[in-house]
Amino acid sequence: MKKLIKGFLTCIAIAAMCVSCVDTFGEDYTVYISPQMSAPMTEELLQGLQEWERKVPDLHFNIVYGWGEVCDHCILVQPESVDWIRSRFSKCGKGKCIGLTDRNPSLYYKDFSIVYLGTLDDKQEDGRRVMIEHEMGHAMGLEHPQDQNPPDNNPAKGTQLMCADYDCGAHHVTCVDAQQW
């Protein structure tokens, strides 16, 4: 009997972790992963995409290793040095930027993004996973709470992955992020 109850409670706990946060439905995106991505960064990218899929119903990422045709609902992901990212992003205050998303750089496609992920050393792994999930949020059109209309200039600490500053943001996708969908 104890095993049965323990098994039942385990199933409830697992189901609760998989429950989505929003009533609206997601979309399909094709994610092209650069051949230059390291194996650990690729694995963290895949884990981050799974986290978004758990939080937004019917959001699905079709993974392609290598480059392909640019299209609507396409996200190109490639590694770059943190210095390269900081040199191209004027809002990088105090050198904190470690990722960058160029949303809709094409005149022909309305939902297309290039995500540049900063190459961090293994000591910064936790920050890398947060950065990946955050930048993928931008690739899907989500904003920093501070950039929304009206802006939320004082988001509660730890409630939103999409917070503009690592120090105030959550370290995972939250329901508040998913509700921006």
Side-chain angles (χ1 to χ4, degrees):
M1 184 68 168
K2 285 183 181 181
K3 284 185 178 182
L4 181 63
I5 292 171
K6 185 177 179 181
F8 178 72
L9 293 176
T10 301
C11 288
I12 290 174
I14 290 170
M17 290 187 319
C18 296
V19 170
S20 65
C21 298
V22 294
D23 295 328
T24 58
F25 295 96
E27 301 176 37
D28 285 355
Y29 284 89
T30 300
V31 178
Y32 293 102
I33 300 176
S34 167
Q36 299 169 335
M37 291 271 283
S38 69
M41 187 179 271
T42 299
E43 182 60 30
E44 287 176 306
L45 171 62
L46 296 175
Q47 290 170 2
L49 295 175
Q50 288 174 345
E51 181 68 15
W52 276 109
E53 288 176 334
R54 277 193 290 276
K55 298 291 184 180
V56 179
D58 294 332
L59 174 63
H60 181 71
F61 298 101
N62 301 301
I63 307 301
V64 177
Y65 295 95
W67 299 124
E69 187 175 321
V70 174
C71 58
D72 272 333
H73 297 303
C74 283
I75 302 170
L76 308 179
V77 183
Q78 68 181 50
E80 286 294 347
S81 75
V82 172
D83 290 338
W84 183 90
I85 290 169
R86 290 177 181 163
S87 72
R88 279 154 183 79
F89 191 51
S90 61
K91 293 182 182 179
C92 253
K94 300 180 184 175
K96 289 187 175 183
C97 297
I98 57 175
L100 174 66
T101 299
D102 189 1
R103 180 120 171 96
N104 298 324
S106 168
L107 298 174
Y108 305 104
Y109 301 101
K110 62 182 171 102
D111 191 8
F112 166 71
S113 297
I114 302 173
V115 176
Y116 302 99
L117 300 177
T119 50
L120 304 172
D121 62 32
D122 290 337
K123 294 175 188 169
Q124 298 169 306
E125 264 183 45
D126 187 42
R128 182 169 55 202
R129 172 79 182 271
V130 172
M131 177 255 309
I132 288 169
E133 291 178 12
H134 178 95
E135 294 304 327
M136 293 310 294
H138 285 313
M140 295 181 292
L142 304 185
E143 300 177 326
H144 299 132
Q146 297 91 334
D147 298 336
Q148 294 174 4
N149 188 11
D152 178 359
N153 291 318
N154 296 306
K157 184 175 176 121
T159 60
Q160 298 180 55
L161 173 74
M162 296 309 297
C163 188
D165 188 335
Y166 182 82
D167 295 330
C168 77
H171 293 192
H172 55 86
V173 179
T174 69
C175 289
V176 175
D177 298 307
Q179 288 168 352
Q180 226 194 106
W181 199 265

